[in-house]
Amino acid sequence: MHEYSSKTRAQRGQAPPITQDNIMAWVPLVVAGGCWLASKLFGSDDSDPNPTYAAIEARKLAEEERDRAIRDLDARFAAENAARLATEESKKNAREAEAERQRTQAALEEARRAAEAFKQDAERLQRAAEEEKKKSDEAVAEAEAARKAAENDAREATAAKEDAEGRLREGIQPVITPTPQEILAAQARIQYQENLFHFAVAGRAGGGKSSLVNAFRGMSNRAAGSARTGVTETTRTVGRYPDPDERCQHVWYDLPGAGTIRIPDWQYFNAQGLYVFDCIVVLFDNRFTHTDIAILLNCRRFKIPTYIVRSKADQHIRNIMKEMGYESDDENVNRSQRSALYMAAREQLVDETRRNVKANLAEANLPDQKVYVVSSSCLRVVAKGEQPSRVIDEIQLLNDLYTEAQARRVRHESGGIST
């Protein structure tokens, strides 16, 4: 590399750079040149008058020339070395400057990233503060709306209370809507199942509800598993009685009677949870009362099918026959006369019953509906699949009830009834 550089400089007429090696190479040459010059100037020549002095002078000149050459070389070497050191120092300074520039650039970049992160944090905090403010404003608005709603509810409750108190003073019964929790609790209480049809027999105390439930199931009042019956009100809790025929997906419920000290008339529908049954048989004995009307009104509110039934038809017919002059131990009355009296009493009972119920329904602004006049003994025979000797509405009642249950099952299977 140095040889190539020297040749290149020689070719271009430039002096090679002075280095320490070059200087040491030049020293012998300079010394030899001085000695040669001294020999020429002060050599043995017969014509020189004082050769010793001349030789000494020549030697001195040579030494001076040598010293001057050495000094020049030292100066040149010092200059070259100073230039080299200056170049190295410059390069070192340049490297340090570059490193410092890079450190400064890294610090600036770090500062920029920190500033950007700070800016993002500030924006995030600003958004969070705005969101919190928005939530706070919404909470304040909701609280204000809730306060106004509470005040409105309080006013409505006060008005409802005053209205209810006024209606109670006038003899008008209040309307109470059960909550969803109360509906679920009532369903759990009666063991409600979606795949079954739940018939409830309701009405005033002493109307023969337990006997009618037994008759619907084709059972006598003394049969095992039958509903308990008696002269006084014996049902104090809801009785659940599955149909003896496992093919019939029916469940019959014997409800406590209304109009007792335990269950006032106006509380009867909600107290017994009638709003969860699929069908309600409204049973009465002698008179169609406000309790029966209240049950029908509430059933209409809840869209529950209802069937109005007058029980103990056989007893009522015998009483009417006695009023007509019939005595069961009268030997002068033959079978045909008895049959005629029976038909007349039967017709009178059915006619009076239906006219009375129709009038009561119209007075309560309820639509007219069929009234079934039945006796439990005859209904029990029909439920067992046998043919009784005297039938009023027992066959039609069972057919209509089962048709209602079948229609509901079809609606349920087709998705018409929500569970």
Side-chain angles (χ1 to χ4, degrees):
M1 181 66 179
H2 293 299
E3 182 181 358
Y4 174 78
S5 299
S6 299
K7 290 180 178 180
T8 304
R9 286 175 177 270
Q11 291 174 359
R12 291 186 299 183
Q14 297 178 355
I18 297 175
T19 64
Q20 189 174 5
D21 295 337
N22 292 337
I23 292 172
M24 296 306 294
W26 276 89
V27 169
L29 295 177
V30 171
V31 173
C35 293
W36 178 80
L37 180 60
S39 65
K40 290 295 183 181
L41 293 175
F42 306 106
S44 57
D45 192 348
D46 295 339
S47 61
D48 189 352
N50 193 1
T52 301
Y53 176 81
I56 293 171
E57 288 296 327
R59 189 179 298 117
K60 288 173 64 178
L61 289 174
E63 290 176 355
E64 291 175 356
E65 185 67 26
R66 183 198 64 190
D67 294 339
R68 186 171 56 252
I70 291 173
R71 285 194 301 271
D72 290 343
L73 289 173
D74 288 341
R76 185 173 179 181
F77 174 75
E80 288 285 344
N81 190 50
R84 180 180 61 77
L85 293 176
T87 301
E88 292 178 355
E89 183 68 21
S90 176
K91 290 181 178 179
K92 177 182 178 182
N93 292 337
R95 288 193 299 271
E96 292 178 351
E98 177 62 21
E100 184 64 25
R101 185 191 67 79
Q102 292 179 358
R103 285 193 297 271
T104 302
Q105 182 67 25
L108 289 175
E109 181 64 21
E110 183 67 23
R112 186 191 65 78
R113 288 197 295 268
E116 182 66 23
F118 177 80
K119 178 182 176 183
Q120 293 177 356
D121 289 342
E123 292 176 351
R124 179 177 56 80
L125 292 174
Q126 178 66 22
R127 289 193 299 270
E130 292 175 354
E131 185 66 23
E132 287 298 323
K133 183 178 181 301
K134 179 180 177 182
K135 291 181 179 179
S136 176
D137 293 342
E138 291 177 351
V140 170
E142 289 178 359
E144 180 64 19
R147 184 187 65 79
K148 292 180 179 179
E151 291 177 352
N152 187 56
D153 291 343
R155 286 194 298 270
E156 291 180 354
T158 301
K161 178 176 177 293
E162 294 174 351
D163 181 66
E165 290 174 349
R167 287 174 174 271
L168 285 175
R169 286 193 295 270
E170 296 174 3
I172 302 175
Q173 300 169 359
V175 176
I176 301 175
T177 301
T179 64
Q181 292 77 13
E182 289 173 336
I183 293 176
L184 290 175
Q187 288 179 334
R189 194 162 53 246
I190 70 168
Q191 303 175 45
Y192 188 94
Q193 295 176 259
E194 285 296 335
N195 61 323
L196 301 178
F197 195 86
H198 307 79
F199 291 102
V201 180
R204 291 186 62 83
K209 295 183 297 298
S210 300
S211 296
L212 190 68
V213 168
N214 291 333
F216 279 133
R217 301 168 68 216
M219 302 175 66
S220 67
N221 291 338
R222 296 183 180 276
S226 62
R228 183 184 174 190
T229 59
V231 178
T232 59
E233 178 64 20
T234 55
T235 303
R236 297 186 179 180
T237 59
V238 177
R240 186 179 189 274
Y241 300 97
D243 199 286
D245 188 350
E246 296 180 354
R247 295 172 301 175
C248 295
Q249 295 179 325
H250 307 146
V251 181
W252 303 92
Y253 291 85
D254 183 13
L255 303 183
T260 65
I261 296 176
R262 295 183 180 85
I263 308 175
D265 289 350
W266 66 276
Q267 294 179 347
Y268 184 74
F269 188 87
N270 283 61
Q272 298 303 323
L274 294 179
Y275 41 78
V276 298
F277 290 100
D278 300 314
C279 178
I280 295 177
V281 176
V282 181
L283 181 67
F284 71 100
D285 177 10
N286 291 312
R287 293 183 300 108
F288 193 70
T289 66
H290 291 294
T291 300
D292 307 314
I293 291 293
I295 295 173
L296 292 171
L297 285 170
N298 281 287
C299 288
R300 186 173 177 82
R301 286 174 53 215
F302 286 89
K303 296 181 174 58
I304 301 174
T306 55
Y307 292 83
I308 302 174
V309 177
R310 184 171 187 180
S311 63
K312 304 178 183 179
D314 47 355
Q315 296 180 18
H316 294 305
I317 291 174
R318 280 197 299 269
N319 292 335
I320 295 175
M321 290 175 66
K322 287 181 180 181
E323 292 176 358
M324 293 178 174
Y326 170 75
E327 294 293 340
S328 59
D329 55 354
D330 189 351
E331 296 179 355
N332 295 323
V333 178
N334 57 32
R335 183 180 299 273
S336 61
Q337 290 177 323
R338 248 193 333 269
S339 297
L341 283 173
Y342 174 85
M343 293 303 296
R346 174 183 180 276
E347 184 177 351
Q348 179 179 330
L349 174 65
V350 172
D351 182 61
E352 289 179 354
T353 298
R354 290 176 176 167
R355 280 191 293 106
N356 175 266
V357 171
K358 182 176 182 179
N360 280 275
L361 292 176
E363 185 177 350
N365 293 320
L366 286 170
D368 189 22
Q369 66 182 90
K370 180 175 177 58
V371 180
Y372 301 86
V373 180
V374 302
S375 70
S376 296
S377 58
C378 180
L379 183 63
R380 179 171 60 253
V381 174
V382 174
K384 291 169 65 176
E386 301 174 2
Q387 182 65 39
S389 58
R390 293 176 176 177
V391 179
I392 307 177
D393 294 323
E394 291 84 359
I395 295 176
Q396 186 175 1
L397 173 61
L398 280 177
N399 286 338
D400 291 348
L401 289 176
Y402 292 159
T403 299
E404 182 69 43
Q406 182 62 30
R408 179 196 181 272
R409 185 174 297 111
V410 171
R411 291 196 302 272
H412 184 275
E413 292 174 352
S414 63
I417 297 178
S418 61
T419 58

